[in-house]
Amino acid sequence: MAFWVESGYQLSRGVVAARRVVRFLRLAPLEDTGTRDAPAEPSVLHDPESGVRVLPGRLTALAGASPADTATVIDRLGRYTPSTATWGGFRWTRSR
């Protein structure tokens, strides 16, 4: 009996996870009309709001008081939210 209960539990978790993956894969990328050429050489990625500098060729890890704070910095650096981040000295934003 315990086996069947555990199997049902694992199956329901698998279905929920599969639905999340399918929903994620169906997302369409946002239109980005503000693209520009990448810098000619490896360049620093900088977020002036937090002071974080990601040096080229280095592994950078962020640690903060709350995971939400570090996620916010990563969202700005990755252009998921509007920001004043720069890449190679050029503004690294998404046009709206």
Side-chain angles (χ1 to χ4, degrees):
M1 192 59 158
F3 173 77
W4 291 109
V5 170
E6 181 67 23
S7 295
Y9 173 70
Q10 294 297 334
L11 182 62
S12 66
R13 289 184 63 199
V15 169
V16 169
R19 286 182 182 153
R20 289 179 180 170
V21 169
V22 169
R23 187 172 41 225
F24 175 75
L25 293 174
R26 287 185 179 161
L27 290 175
L30 296 175
E31 181 180 347
D32 187 2
T33 58
T35 58
R36 65 178 346 153
D37 292 335
E41 67 256 356
S43 301
V44 173
L45 185 59
H46 175 63
D47 177 35
E49 293 179 47
S50 64
V52 170
R53 289 184 176 278
V54 180
L55 302 175
R58 299 288 179 120
L59 175 65
T60 304
L62 297 179
S66 77
D69 293 341
T70 55
T72 301
V73 173
I74 291 169
D75 285 345
R76 287 194 304 254
L77 289 173
R79 297 185 350 153
Y80 295 109
T81 60
S83 74
T84 57
T86 60
W87 184 30
F90 293 103
R91 188 93 184 268
W92 184 238
T93 60
R94 169 178 277 142
S95 300
R96 292 283 175 201

